[in-house]
Amino acid sequence: MEALDFLEKEQTFTLPERYSILSEEEMRARIIEIKEAFGDRLFMPGHHYQKDEVIDFADARGDSLKLARICTAMDEAEFIVFCGVHFMAETADMLTSDHQKVILPDMRAGCSMADMADIDQTEQGWQTMQDTFGDTILPLTYVNSTAAIKSFVGKNGGATVTSSNAKKMLEWAFTQKERILFLPDQHLGRNTAFDLGLSLDEMAVWDPIGHRFEFEGEDLQDVKVILWKGHCSVHEKFNIKHIENLKKKDPEITVLVHPECTYDVVQASDMDGSTSFIIDTIENAPAGSKWAIGTEMNLVNRLIKENPDKEIVSLNPFLCPCLTMNRIDLPHLLWSLEMLEKGEVVNQIKVPEEIREHAVLALNRMLERS
Ligand code: 13P
Ligand code: SF4
């Protein structure tokens, strides 16, 4: 089920008033108290894009790959309160055992990119792709996708990828089939395929709304990668003008961007890489070095704070927050924990078994290879 469908069907709830009255200190104190009382029965993973007020309480901080891995090893945790977005909580649910319950403190914490690939559109598009290219296509999906899409991919022999293993997974995929369908982020797909040496003429975009290929080359049969027409609304906000302006002001500055940025931005930047690559690069950079970073705002602000010996700015002067990641805040976190304390599990993320079965195949094909 898509995150927004779920919301409409299941969540008529508004946060009780008490949570708008409590001070930050009171909320923090209660969270500490509840976490201590639960001990190892409660585990709270936090994605790097989460707000400071939330990430302060995370038992593990990571990118989506690291958090997926950690959750598989958290057998003793009865409750996993996931500080991230819906698709990450679904992944955690699929990689943990039946006795473990995954909770998302605010169900509105979705991902606009994941919502751009709907399972019905995918199945219809796949049929047209099979009619056009025959049985020559392997589907890969960025983990930023619904469990239903992961299941479709798993059923068709494909795998999930994250930004930190996309290149390796695309290389593997080409050992399996002649062509790849890459869902749902056209930019990560295009940037990764280009990195592997494919030309833009060997890539077509699949428009799921118009139900047609977008292709400017000569022969569609030359296409090796079909890019689903999805994008991240946060990373699309960086543009070439931002790079030119910064470089004009300071030619010494190094521009480092996430591969969810457009192809033009990635080509014009000095370096690009996944969330963990960005963090490692900044942490290992020499004191005094200057950086402009093109990724989510909470992470950029945290890098600025944690690396005072370096000069770091956001590539977009207006910064780019992920609004859905920001849905997780102290009031929602405390509410979900206080409900747990009362013995009530709220906002549980449970992937139906018939979807989980094949989605796990896609996830495991990735985990085995990265
Ligand atoms: P990572 O896979 O790098 O954690 O990224 C997740 C994400 O949502 C990026 O926009
Ligand atoms: Fe989705 Fe983009 Fe937010 Fe990542 S930053 S969770 S891809 S909307």
Side-chain angles (χ1 to χ4, degrees):
M1 194 185 305
E2 305 286 331
L4 289 176
D5 292 348
F6 182 88
L7 256 187
E8 274 169 26
K9 289 202 183 90
E10 307 277 330
Q11 188 164 305
T12 46
F13 161 85
T14 48
L15 207 59
E17 205 190 330
R18 157 181 159 70
Y19 297 97
S20 55
I21 297 164
L22 286 173
S23 70
E24 192 173 326
E25 288 67 40
E26 286 168 315
M27 287 191 277
R28 293 179 69 88
R30 282 290 290 134
I31 292 173
I32 292 169
E33 191 185 352
I34 297 171
K35 282 194 74 188
E36 275 174 10
F38 273 92
D40 289 345
R41 290 174 60 213
L42 171 66
F43 179 66
M44 283 179 35
H47 189 268
H48 288 299
Y49 292 179
Q50 290 285 293
K51 295 177 180 184
D52 282 349
E53 68 186 39
V54 170
I55 211 82
D56 280 355
F57 293 106
D59 296 313
R61 243 198 245 185
D63 64 0
S64 53
L65 178 63
K66 181 171 167 192
L67 294 181
R69 275 197 188 295
I70 287 177
C71 287
T72 60
M74 281 298 145
D75 273 354
E76 71 282 15
E78 209 176 311
F79 305 106
I80 295 177
V81 175
F82 207 104
C83 300
V85 289
H86 193 272
F87 73 81
M88 296 178 185
E90 277 189 336
T91 299
D93 176 54
M94 293 188 284
L95 294 175
T96 49
S97 322
D98 281 351
H99 73 278
Q100 298 177 286
K101 294 187 172 58
V102 177
I103 291 156
L104 185 65
D106 186 340
M107 283 296 197
R108 294 169 302 173
C111 164
S112 53
M113 176 200 285
D115 291 340
M116 286 175 200
D118 163 78
I119 186 62
D120 295 333
Q121 288 171 338
T122 305
E123 276 162 359
Q124 285 158 14
W126 182 250
Q127 191 51 56
T128 302
M129 292 173 206
Q130 298 295 302
D131 294 345
T132 310
F133 296 111
D135 179 21
T136 61
I137 316 168
L138 190 86
L140 287 182
T141 186
Y142 195 14
V143 283
N144 299 32
S145 53
T146 62
I149 298 292
K150 292 184 178 83
S151 174
F152 164 86
V153 167
K155 221 182 277 177
N156 287 289
T160 58
V161 314
T162 75
S163 55
S164 49
N165 59 27
K167 199 167 166 182
K168 201 185 280 179
M169 292 309 295
L170 197 58
E171 273 173 328
W172 166 77
F174 276 122
T175 66
Q176 308 296 303
K177 287 271 168 84
E178 194 183 321
R179 292 186 176 83
I180 310 303
L181 163 64
F182 193 96
L183 297 127
D185 184 14
Q186 60 169 307
H187 302 306
L188 179 65
R190 185 179 292 109
N191 290 324
T192 310
F194 188 81
D195 244 18
L196 274 182
L198 275 89
S199 73
L200 296 183
D201 286 346
E202 292 174 294
M203 303 177 211
V205 170
W206 173 257
D207 171 2
I209 296 168
H211 194 85
R212 63 187 182 92
F213 292 103
E214 291 176 3
F215 177 64
E216 284 168 13
E218 291 193 352
D219 185 354
L220 194 57
Q221 293 301 322
D222 293 340
V223 164
K224 295 277 178 287
V225 180
I226 304 159
L227 304 163
W228 189 267
K229 195 175 183 176
H231 64 268
C232 165
S233 34
V234 176
H235 289 89
E236 265 204 349
K237 290 204 180 73
F238 300 101
N239 61 46
I240 304 241
K241 268 269 166 269
H242 295 136
I243 301 182
E244 286 169 359
N245 290 343
L246 275 168
K247 288 276 184 187
K248 214 179 284 167
K249 260 200 276 171
D250 187 354
E252 305 272 278
I253 202 159
T254 305
V255 176
L256 169 57
V257 301
H258 193 281
E260 283 176 21
C261 292
T262 63
Y263 170 79
D264 291 349
V265 167
V266 168
Q267 290 306 307
S269 67
D270 299 297
M271 299 166 88
D272 70 282
S274 66
T275 302
S276 50
F277 176 83
I278 292 174
I279 296 170
D280 291 348
T281 304
I282 296 298
E283 281 174 357
N284 294 315
S289 53
K290 297 176 191 178
W291 297 87
I293 303 179
T295 195
E296 203 277 337
M297 180 187 87
N298 288 325
L299 174 58
V300 176
N301 280 338
R302 194 168 302 120
L303 287 170
I304 294 172
K305 204 162 79 186
E306 291 179 355
N307 292 272
D309 58 332
K310 291 144 210 168
E311 287 180 42
I312 304 169
V313 293
S314 167
L315 177 56
N316 181 332
F318 299 106
L319 292 171
C320 294
C322 174
L323 296 176
T324 46
M325 279 274 180
N326 275 284
R327 291 288 187 185
I328 311 293
D329 55 11
L330 279 188
H332 285 89
L333 183 56
L334 177 57
W335 167 69
S336 58
L337 292 176
E338 285 193 332
M339 294 304 278
L340 266 190
E341 195 183 37
K342 286 188 205 157
E344 233 185 278
V345 176
V346 289
N347 288 359
Q348 187 181 353
I349 303 296
K350 188 89 198 114
V351 176
E353 186 49 38
E354 65 276 15
I355 292 181
R356 199 188 89 95
E357 186 190 350
H358 291 107
V360 162
L361 286 179
L363 285 163
N364 283 340
R365 287 187 189 118
M366 170 184 78
L367 293 171
E368 280 156 19
R369 289 172 179 84
S370 48

